[in-house]
């Protein structure tokens, strides 16, 4: 019973690292696409990375704040 409780409580935390990495990667990829489209390298790549990091951190904070102790 204790093991089930531990897994249930840790579940939301297990995907935080992956979620953060994916949001940053998507931001960088979108920025690289925009750079190639409008020839502004590396402006949009940097902006995409910063936006992805900001969104990832927002999700991180929401996830951690939602954990009830």
């Amino acid at each position: 019973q204790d093991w089930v409780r531990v897994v249930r409580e840790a579940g939301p935390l297990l995907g935080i690292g992956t979620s953060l990495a994916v949001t940053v990667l998507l931001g960088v990829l979108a920025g690289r696409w925009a750079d190639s489209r409008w020839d502004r390298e590396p402006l949009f790549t940097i902006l995409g990375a910063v936006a992805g990091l900001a969104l990832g951190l927002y999700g991180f904070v929401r996830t951690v704040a939602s954990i009830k102790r």
Side-chain angles (χ1 to χ4, degrees):
Q1 295 297 347
D2 289 336
W3 177 251
V4 172
R5 184 179 55 84
V6 168
V7 171
R8 187 174 294 144
E9 290 177 1
L13 299 176
L14 295 175
I16 287 178
T18 303
S19 175
L20 181 60
V22 167
T23 55
V24 172
L25 180 63
L26 289 176
V28 168
L29 291 175
R32 288 189 49 92
W33 173 82
D35 281 337
S36 69
R37 181 160 172 90
W38 290 296
D39 196 28
R40 296 283 186 199
E41 194 170 332
L43 175 66
F44 290 116
T45 300
I46 293 170
L47 291 175
V50 170
L53 182 60
L55 287 172
L57 289 175
Y58 175 73
F60 171 82
V61 169
R62 281 185 49 128
T63 301
V64 170
S66 71
I67 297 173
K68 298 175 185 172
R69 295 211 177 242

